[in-house]
Amino acid sequence: MKMRTNNQQGRTITVGITVYLIIKIILNGILGGMNAGELILALIFGVAMFSGYRFINYVVAAYLAIVALVHLPDNISNIGSNWIYLLEGIADIGFAAVLCFVAPVKEHFTNEWQDLFGRK
């Protein structure tokens, strides 16, 4: 298997996004009960993003955007008690945009899937 890091800065940013995901899950656990499934998903996303395989960034970005948009109406309607979740949603959308549009991050996600399976 041949794996390369095509952009060190992009990989560093994706590690930062992974740290954000883990902190987000821990904070949500403190505020409303720990969800082990979400923590496992964050770790899986982190490993997948670290690999740099094509399109992983779009999968994680879609997940972040969908979660933020699903919770947006409730967070806005109860802004007095849910302001921290509204900020979390804004951060989710921001990180989704980073995964899709920031050049060093996009360059990090250029490893080919056939390399994973040993085909050339």
Side-chain angles (χ1 to χ4, degrees):
M1 170 175 30
K2 179 179 130 187
M3 186 169 77
R4 50 186 199 273
T5 299
N6 299 309
N7 190 297
Q8 181 64 37
Q9 182 183 13
R11 182 172 64 170
T12 301
I13 292 169
T14 61
V15 169
I17 293 171
T18 300
V19 170
Y20 161 75
L21 290 172
I22 293 169
I23 290 171
K24 167 184 161 166
I25 300 306
I26 292 170
L27 178 62
N28 286 338
I30 291 168
L31 295 175
M34 187 60 129
N35 185 332
E38 288 180 357
L39 183 58
I40 291 169
L41 185 60
L43 293 171
I44 289 170
F45 280 161
V47 169
M49 287 192 298
F50 189 78
S51 74
Y53 284 108
R54 292 185 67 162
F55 308 118
I56 294 292
N57 55 326
Y58 298 121
V59 171
V60 176
Y63 171 79
L64 288 171
I66 289 168
V67 167
L69 292 175
V70 164
H71 294 289
L72 182 64
D74 187 48
N75 292 340
I76 289 175
S77 67
N78 298 315
I79 198 163
S81 60
N82 287 345
W83 63 270
I84 195 161
Y85 295 117
L86 185 58
L87 291 177
E88 177 185 314
I90 292 167
D92 286 350
I93 296 294
F95 285 124
V98 167
L99 287 167
C100 292
F101 302 115
V102 172
V105 174
K106 287 175 58 177
E107 187 178 336
H108 170 66
F109 291 99
T110 55
N111 287 328
E112 296 294 334
W113 283 96
Q114 67 257 21
D115 294 341
L116 176 65
F117 302 109
R119 290 185 236 139
K120 301 202 179 207

